[in-house]
Amino acid sequence: SDVIWGTLGDRAELAETASTALAACIAAFGGLTPNDVRATIDSITHSCLSSLYVHGDSSIFVYSNAKKSILQLGMNCVCVPWGDGGRSTIDGIVRSVCTMLRNDPDMSVATVALSTLCAFDALVTPRSPPILVPVRDTMADNSASINRGLSASEMMRGINDAKKISNLDD
């Protein structure tokens, strides 16, 4: 009846493998995933993240690889839209778990959590259009175009020219 399969480590490894596979499917197929399948994946992800949030290190999530793989799955679910263009509703639990794990003793877990929070901030923070769009040269083109456009010397020359004009007006 209540038979538990394998050791805690075995179950953590299975959860890691499964969540890594699901994260890869979400990333690769994105909006092509049927909505009923996507709903199931989001539901499973929500359940796992809720368990991690409530029980912390007293379950399979004592293993860092299990934490990292479920965080990656959560991030993929939030970042990849559904087939109908809608977005996942699990962003709240993903953000809560990432906030909790950003100070995890395992630096690799903390890094994944912080990276996920950075991606969330980039997605939800409104940005105004840039006044100036800087163009950065590649390393191969750098020597030929160091004095062109947005080089530091060109920018300083422009600032100094503007100061001179301003001083003439006074």
Side-chain angles (χ1 to χ4, degrees):
S1 45
D2 283 347
V3 177
I4 297 178
W5 173 84
T7 65
L8 188 61
D10 292 336
R11 293 191 305 269
E13 188 176 341
L14 177 63
E16 175 194 357
T17 302
S19 59
T20 300
L22 290 173
C25 289
I26 293 291
F29 301 116
L32 299 175
T33 305
N35 284 347
D36 58 335
V37 173
R38 179 62 191 267
T40 301
I41 294 172
D42 277 24
S43 176
I44 291 167
T45 306
H46 188 277
S47 296
C48 289
L49 288 168
S50 295
S51 176
L52 173 56
Y53 190 70
V54 172
H55 301 296
D57 287 343
S58 65
S59 64
I60 61 169
F61 296 112
V62 71
Y63 294 91
S64 295
N65 288 344
K67 289 183 211 176
K68 291 187 295 188
S69 64
I70 197 65
L71 285 179
Q72 183 64 54
L73 175 57
M75 179 157 150
N76 287 9
C77 286
V78 169
C79 292
V80 176
W82 284 45
D84 60 4
R87 59 179 230 177
S88 179
T89 58
I90 66 167
D91 56 309
I93 189 66
V94 175
R95 183 181 291 275
S96 297
V97 169
C98 288
T99 301
M100 179 183 78
L101 292 177
R102 68 181 175 196
N103 296 315
D104 194 86
D106 184 327
M107 185 58 74
S108 65
V109 173
T111 300
V112 172
L114 288 168
S115 296
T116 302
L117 289 171
C118 288
F120 275 19
D121 288 342
L123 287 172
V124 300
T125 304
R127 308 267 187 227
S128 61
I131 295 173
L132 173 70
V133 178
V135 177
R136 290 174 182 83
D137 295 324
T138 62
M139 293 304 286
D141 296 338
N142 200 23
S143 60
S145 63
I146 198 77
N147 293 321
R148 192 171 29 129
L150 295 177
S151 68
S153 60
E154 280 294 315
M155 291 176 129
M156 285 308 298
R157 189 174 307 129
I159 291 170
N160 290 333
D161 289 346
K163 285 180 182 176
K164 287 178 189 174
I165 291 171
S166 174
N167 289 337
L168 292 175
D169 292 338
D170 290 341

